[in-house]
Every structure is written in C-alpha cells, then in structure tokens.
Amino acid sequence: IGMRIRKAVFPVGGMGTRFLPATKALPKEMLPIVDKPLIQYAGEEAAAAGMEEFIFVTGRGKTAIEDHFDHSYELEDLLSSRDKTDELAALRAAIPDAGQVAYTRQQEPLGLGHAVWCARNLVGNEPFAVLLADDLIQSKTPCLQQMADAAAETGGNMVAVMDVPREHTGRYGILDVGQDDGHLAEVRGLVEKPDPAQAPSTLSVIGRYILMPEVFDYLGRKEKGAGGEIQLTDAMAKMIGEQPFHGLRFEGTRFDCGDKLGFLQATIAFGLDRDDLRDGLSTYLSEITAAG
Ligand code: UTP
C-alpha cells in the first residue's frame, strides 16, 4: 500500500520464430509500428508511468536494441548540419540518462520466467514492473500507469487482463477469478495456456505485470511448465494467498505484435491515429475494401 515502483524489466530474449524471416537478424522488438520500434513504445510507456530504471534482458543478436537507446554521433551531426532540429530533438529525447539503463543477457531462451529471473540482482528487493514490448497498447492513460494507480490502492501483485474468445485460452495465462467488481478481479488461481475446456475463465494475462520481489524465489527453482519453458505464470501462481494479487481490466486496445495479424492491425490503428497519415491511410483503406 502506498508502494512505489521504480524499476521496469523488459524481457527481450525471445527468438521471435513467428516472425521469421524478419527476425533472423533483427530483434522482434525492433520491428516498427509506423516509424517507431516496439521497444521504444514500451520504454515510453514505462517512463510515462514514472519508472526511473530500465532493465533489458537481452540475448544474442539483440545489440540493435542497445544501439537504439544510445547516441549516434554521425546521425546527430548530419541532422544538425541540415537543420533538422525536430528530428534531432525526437532522437535525443528517446535516449535514457546515463546510468538509467542496464542490460543483462539471458544466455539461453529458457522461457519468460527465466528471462525475468535473470534481472533479479538488478531489481533487488523491491516491487518492479515487467513489460513485454510485443504487446502494444493503445490507450488514453498508459497501461502501466493505470496498473500503478490501482496497485497503489491494493498493494501486492497486479497483472493487466482482458477477455479473450474461449478458443484462444491456449495462448495465454488465464485467471481463476475470485471477487470481481468488473474493473479489478481478485486472482484466485493462474494457469498457463490451458485448453479451452479446462480454462477456469477467459480472462487472460497480457504483457504488463507489477510484481513483488518474492517472485524471484519461486523463479529460482527453475521448474519447467507449459511447453517445457520456465513460466512466469507458474511462479506468480505461488504468490497467490501470500500477498494481494489482482488483475486489472485496463482501458485501451492491446495488439499482439509478435503475431503477423496483430502487427498489421497495430500498424493500421497507430497509422490512423497519426495526423500526418490519417487521411491518406483511410482513403486507401476505403478504396481497397470497396474494391474487395
Ligand atoms: P513469446 O512467447 O512471444 O516468444 O515470448 P518469442 O520467442 O519472443 O516469439 P515466438 O513465439 O517464437 O514468435 C513472450 C515474451 O517473452 C520474452 C519474449 O522476448 C517476449 O517478449 N522471452 C520469451 C524472453 O525474453 N526469453 C525467453 O526465453 C522467452
């Protein structure tokens, strides 16, 4: 209660196999929606929610992410010599202050839970946020801010949740719901990727978490779960009953940008939200849908 969250963890060690061949030499998190890489949207959401330290759990082939959050002197020189001041300012604004960002490497992609565990020494003994950059959320108030506001009231663990069609429960961590006021749902149980017939509800966890540091104790057991991976869901489930645990039905639309269809939908939604693209894009969309 009254807790403050300062640190954000970005697990970016996944292989992105659903997006091959694009992700062979390019990290999935560097895929752009309109003109900004997914990881920058996630970083901006975390910064907007008051995060002060940004911890990236990377892997082999992910150096483009580190370069993205650093200066590029040639590029900055070029922009300034051409008087492109807006572009230059935007580029510089995206770079965290010195010492605000840390990178550690998940040497093997053993699962999301293992990726989060790799950040344990950088996080230490305090509550922290986890953001999966491939889940992109379009909302008025940044999703993590909504969660931090709710967690300031409830204390404990908080996950962002949304209802999904029952046939999709096998893609998500699913809540067993206790008390539910339609906004905050008490988490009574959690199960990773259940078959639709076994799923305790259709309320699904998406890639935003506020977690208590005790989760590292459970992750440290390195127990394998669904798909043979070390699952974050399984470690979270062990904290139920020990601390408050809630699912927040956030305001906004979530796009699964690690999936091709979700990525295309996000491109269109974010394109239509841009003043410089809205007219051209909506004209094009109505032309092709009329022709279809
Ligand atoms: P995904 O399930 O999307 O896996 O991971 P993936 O490897 O990134 O992509 P596909 O399914 O092969 O196409 C969910 C999140 O967990 C991270 C990913 O980077 C992504 O943000 N992750 C997953 C890790 O950091 N390490 C892992 O070992 C696994």
Side-chain angles (χ1 to χ4, degrees), residues 146-200:
Q146 298 177 44
M147 295 169 69
D149 290 345
E153 302 287 323
T154 60
N157 300 287
M158 177 86 51
V159 289
V161 296
M162 59 184 252
D163 258 308
V164 302
R166 185 162 277 274
E167 63 266 29
H168 291 174
T169 58
R171 304 179 188 174
Y172 299 91
I174 301 288
L175 261 58
D176 184 3
V177 180
Q179 274 201 6
D180 187 355
D181 68 6
H183 178 59
L184 274 178
E186 185 198 345
V187 179
R188 197 167 58 191
L190 270 173
V191 34
E192 183 64 24
K193 299 189 171 61
D195 286 338
Q198 265 85 54

Side-chain angles (χ1 to χ4, degrees), residues 27 39 98 100 129 158 173 200 216 250 265 270:
I39 194 66
Q100 241 191 340
M158 177 86 51
F216 293 125
F250 58 99
Q265 290 168 336
F270 278 73

Side-chain angles (χ1 to χ4, degrees), residues 10-20 23 28-29 57-59 62 106 108-116 131-135 171 192-193 209 229-231 256 258-259:
F10 303 87
V12 291
M15 301 293 281
T17 55
R18 282 171 296 162
F19 240 111
L20 286 167
T23 47
K28 173 169 74 170
E29 299 77 14
V57 183
T58 69
K62 300 278 184 170
Q106 182 189 23
E108 288 175 279
L110 300 179
L112 174 60
H114 180 257
V116 171
L131 296 97
L132 306 188
D134 38 4
D135 272 343
R171 304 179 188 174
E192 183 64 24
K193 299 189 171 61
Y209 313 78
E229 297 195 347
I230 300 170
Q231 296 286 355
D256 178 5
D259 171 77

Side-chain angles (χ1 to χ4, degrees), residues 37-270:
L38 287 167
I39 194 66
Q40 190 176 339
Y41 286 97
E44 288 175 359
E45 181 183 330
M51 300 301 115
E52 295 164 0
E53 289 185 39
F54 304 84
I55 299 161
F56 294 87
V57 183
T58 69
R60 278 185 298 286
K62 300 278 184 170
T63 48
I65 295 174
E66 296 178 43
D67 291 338
H68 185 71
F69 289 110
D70 199 354
H71 288 284
S72 166
Y73 286 108
E74 304 94 300
L75 182 58
E76 291 181 25
D77 260 8
L78 184 90
L79 292 174
S80 92
S81 72
R82 295 192 182 167
D83 288 323
K84 300 210 176 220
T85 41
D86 291 351
E87 288 84 349
L88 185 59
L91 220 58
R92 286 190 174 149
I95 299 175
D97 287 343
Q100 241 191 340
V101 51
Y103 298 94
T104 188
R105 240 156 107 148
Q106 182 189 23
Q107 291 103 331
E108 288 175 279
L110 300 179
L112 174 60
H114 180 257
V116 171
W117 182 73
C118 290
R120 68 199 178 281
N121 291 329
L122 292 164
V123 171
N125 190 29
E126 60 180 284
F128 64 103
V130 176
L131 296 97
L132 306 188
D134 38 4
D135 272 343
L136 179 60
I137 298 160
Q138 192 175 41
S139 60
K140 286 197 212 77
T141 306
C143 183
L144 188 62
Q145 178 71 61
Q146 298 177 44
M147 295 169 69
D149 290 345
E153 302 287 323
T154 60
N157 300 287
M158 177 86 51
V159 289
V161 296
M162 59 184 252
D163 258 308
V164 302
R166 185 162 277 274
E167 63 266 29
H168 291 174
T169 58
R171 304 179 188 174
Y172 299 91
I174 301 288
L175 261 58
D176 184 3
V177 180
Q179 274 201 6
D180 187 355
D181 68 6
H183 178 59
L184 274 178
E186 185 198 345
V187 179
R188 197 167 58 191
L190 270 173
V191 34
E192 183 64 24
K193 299 189 171 61
D195 286 338
Q198 265 85 54
S201 78
T202 56
L203 211 49
S204 304
V205 179
I206 60 122
R208 298 289 182 279
Y209 313 78
I210 288 173
L211 298 172
M212 297 295 117
E214 287 76 20
V215 75
F216 293 125
D217 301 337
Y218 298 115
L219 288 172
R221 297 180 186 174
K222 306 212 185 134
E223 290 164 11
K224 288 186 180 149
E229 297 195 347
I230 300 170
Q231 296 286 355
L232 182 59
T233 302
D234 297 340
M236 291 194 303
K238 300 207 170 79
M239 295 192 287
I240 298 168
E242 296 183 354
Q243 297 157 339
F245 203 141
H246 294 87
L248 175 74
R249 290 190 185 76
F250 58 99
E251 169 275 314
T253 308
R254 169 262 192 184
F255 298 94
D256 178 5
C257 296
D259 171 77
K260 286 182 268 270
L261 182 58
F263 179 87
L264 292 171
Q265 290 168 336
T267 299
I268 293 170
F270 278 73

